[in-house]
Amino acid sequence: MGQYIIKRAASLVLTLFAASFLVFAVTEFSPSNVARKTLGPFALQSQVDILYDKLGLRDTLAVRYGRWLGVLLGLKADPLQDPALGLQFKDPRGDRYLGNFGYSTLYKAPVNDVIWSRLRATAMLAGIAFALIVPVSLALGVLAGMREGSGLDRTISIFGIVATSVPEFASGVFLVAVFVVTLGWLPGTSPLDSGSGWPIWTQLVLPVTVLVLYDAGYVVRMVRGSMAEVMNKAYIRTAVLKGLPMRDVVMRHAVRNAMIAPFTVILLQINFLISGVVVTEMVFAYPGFGRMILDASLFGDIALIEAATLIALSIAIVTQLVSDIGYALLNPQIRLA
């Protein structure tokens, strides 16, 4: 098992480096525009020319990537800290430290000061949603799979299809119309500001509900399909014919084997809940990670786009590693392959 984990971790680390190079190449492929995009539209041409030389934009893409990676790892100084640029910006951490993502021209602050607060906000939203999605999806999926073709199965299946089919913005608008406009029970926006007159927890109710409805529908269908397949296996019929209580058959034999396929799907929902909730955050004006990526893309904030994409990739890779380990524990044949 240890060798399997080391092999998978090494493979995913190489994937991260390859993906980071692609991200860097996509965002900085136009050498003539990188300095201007980095400094913003109002920077002086003299500042742009100085930064162009400081960044070595005439070098090859591989050399520039190595320089960018050196700044990120704290091995090289951040060129934006050069006094010759005349920028009104000084990072209190200095011009060389581990995890230096540079300076955000959109928020006029170091990227680290912007991105981690937004990531924490989205992590809180995602954590609450995930804590609800998993038990609800498992319970409904197992119940539907146990009684394939029954009225309960059809009802749960219809719920899963409808919940997944309705876009997030549509369900968000519907919930706002009911609970904000008609009933007045909840706030229509979620700025995470207690000074808005609404407690923080009330501002999380609608965004969390939208995510749970949209995501749970998909996971329920996956669990239901896997559970229904396992319940038709010969060893399940044998256990029932031997007189084992149905509760023991389901909990000791069916559920564990039924979770092998959906396990990876469930963990991959973490990626969606971190970087794929742009629509939900925009509908409710939530100051999260996904909304920040959209704003940075529209503004052309290269440093922030690179940092956010790299963090999203890291989360995806770590999630994939945990998923592979869990899958191997549930299915020993994977470890022997």
Side-chain angles (χ1 to χ4, degrees):
M1 187 64 184
Q3 292 180 349
Y4 174 80
I5 294 175
I6 293 173
K7 183 168 64 175
R8 292 298 301 156
S11 174
L12 292 175
V13 168
L14 291 176
T15 302
L16 177 60
F17 274 104
S20 67
F21 178 78
L22 291 177
V23 169
F24 179 83
V26 169
T27 54
E28 302 204 12
F29 191 74
S30 301
S32 60
N33 296 323
V34 171
R36 171 60 66 182
K37 289 181 179 180
T38 300
L39 294 178
F42 303 108
L44 299 176
Q45 185 59 42
S46 59
Q47 294 175 325
V48 174
D49 294 338
I50 294 174
L51 183 60
Y52 192 92
D53 294 331
K54 290 288 294 183
L55 292 177
L57 296 178
R58 295 180 179 83
D59 296 333
T60 63
L61 187 62
V63 173
R64 290 162 53 198
Y65 170 73
R67 188 181 299 114
W68 172 76
L69 195 62
V71 173
L72 178 62
L73 297 177
L75 304 176
K76 294 181 178 294
D78 184 0
L80 287 176
Q81 295 290 307
D82 191 339
L85 291 174
L87 297 178
Q88 300 299 317
F89 160 66
K90 191 67 177 177
D91 194 325
R93 290 168 287 253
D95 61 358
R96 185 179 304 179
Y97 59 91
L98 181 62
N100 184 0
F101 287 109
Y103 179 71
S104 170
T105 55
L106 172 60
Y107 294 96
K108 307 299 181 185
V111 169
N112 284 283
D113 294 345
V114 176
I115 202 167
W116 298 117
S117 61
R118 296 301 189 98
L119 190 59
R120 281 193 297 270
T122 295
M124 177 175 65
L125 181 65
I128 297 173
F130 190 76
L132 295 174
I133 290 169
V134 173
V136 169
S137 301
L138 292 181
L140 294 180
V142 168
L143 288 174
M146 287 173 55
R147 297 171 174 84
E148 185 180 10
S150 65
L152 178 63
D153 177 31
R154 293 191 183 95
T155 302
I156 294 176
S157 297
I158 291 173
F159 160 76
I161 294 172
V162 172
T164 307
S165 301
V166 177
E168 296 163 271
F169 70 87
S171 59
V173 171
F174 174 76
L175 292 175
V176 168
V178 174
F179 294 101
V180 178
V181 178
T182 303
L183 299 176
W185 290 353
L186 297 168
T189 58
S190 307
L192 298 184
D193 181 11
S194 56
S196 62
W198 292 91
I200 297 296
W201 71 267
T202 61
Q203 300 176 33
L204 294 171
V205 172
L206 291 182
V208 167
T209 303
V210 169
L211 294 177
V212 170
L213 287 175
Y214 183 80
D215 216 25
Y218 174 70
V219 179
V220 163
R221 291 164 59 197
M222 291 294 299
V223 175
R224 180 261 174 202
S226 182
M227 188 68 184
E229 181 181 357
V230 169
M231 291 298 292
N232 290 322
K233 295 292 186 180
Y235 65 86
I236 296 294
R237 293 195 296 269
T238 301
V240 173
L241 292 175
K242 284 184 175 181
L244 288 179
M246 181 57 68
R247 176 188 176 91
D248 292 341
V249 172
V250 172
M251 299 305 297
R252 294 183 181 181
H253 301 284
V255 171
R256 175 173 179 176
N257 291 295
M259 287 302 102
I260 293 177
F263 180 78
T264 301
V265 174
I266 291 173
L267 282 185
L268 289 178
Q269 302 313 304
I270 296 175
N271 301 331
F272 164 75
L273 292 172
I274 293 294
S275 56
V277 293
V278 180
V279 175
T280 302
E281 292 182 349
M282 292 299 295
V283 169
F284 295 102
Y286 190 85
F289 187 72
R291 182 183 173 192
M292 181 203 69
I293 294 177
L294 177 62
D295 292 340
S297 301
L298 295 175
F299 187 82
D301 191 339
I302 288 182
L304 192 55
I305 294 172
E306 290 174 341
T309 307
L310 190 60
I311 290 174
L313 285 170
S314 301
I315 293 172
I317 286 175
V318 171
T319 304
Q320 185 64 56
L321 178 60
V322 174
S323 173
D324 290 344
I325 295 173
Y327 192 82
L329 291 174
L330 290 173
N331 188 1
Q333 293 179 350
I334 299 297
R335 301 197 299 268
L336 300 176

